[in-house]
Amino acid sequence: MGSEGVCEAEVLRFRIPSLPASMNAIYQIMFHLKQVQMKPEVRAWKTQAKQFVPKWVLPKGIETGFLRLKLEFHGSWFYKNGKARRIDLPNLQKITVDVIAEKLGFDDCMIWDVSLRKVQDEKEFVECELGFILDDKVGCNPVVLTP
């Protein structure tokens, strides 16, 4: 489903058909400019991945709330000898969360509940599920999604 897709539901489910690039090295230091920048391949992945985040039209009465996110990263997590590859789940999470939040127009700090998982698979993709926490025990102002 590309960006033309619209999901009208309390929970948004979609798939990004690749994994983030340069997972263990997201940033590059530009010493001569005294800057830290995201690597070009990471920026490119973010741009491409946003195409697969559909617009989210919420049912009436659920326009605000605190968010929960479930991410499953499918890929080859082991070498042929059976040893686990050193790929950090939090780095995969950060780039993917940025993509979703930027595309849907909310501050990622409003995600209060996160579930992360690696799934051994021949294909590489990210299964995403975003929804609202429907209890009032979170204790601050809820997020409002912008159109």
Side-chain angles (χ1 to χ4, degrees), residues 67-79:
L67 299 169
R68 63 177 179 77
L69 178 64
K70 178 181 177 183
L71 297 173
E72 286 187 352
F73 297 94
H74 292 247
S76 178
W77 306 114
F78 297 95
Y79 293 109

Side-chain angles (χ1 to χ4, degrees), residues 70-126:
K70 178 181 177 183
L71 297 173
E72 286 187 352
F73 297 94
H74 292 247
S76 178
W77 306 114
F78 297 95
Y79 293 109
K80 289 181 182 180
N81 67 5
K83 191 172 181 181
R85 294 174 61 204
R86 294 183 51 116
I87 299 175
D88 296 340
L89 198 54
N91 287 344
L92 293 168
Q93 172 195 354
K94 177 60 180 152
I95 298 169
T96 307
V97 166
D98 287 349
V99 163
I100 296 167
E102 289 170 15
K103 177 68 183 273
L104 295 177
F106 66 88
D107 187 335
D108 62 2
C109 75
M110 297 310 293
I111 298 172
W112 285 68
D113 182 22
V114 178
S115 171
L116 300 173
R117 188 175 143 184
K118 291 181 190 177
V119 177
Q120 180 65 23
D121 202 323
E122 291 180 11
K123 296 183 179 179
E124 292 186 346
F125 59 93
V126 185

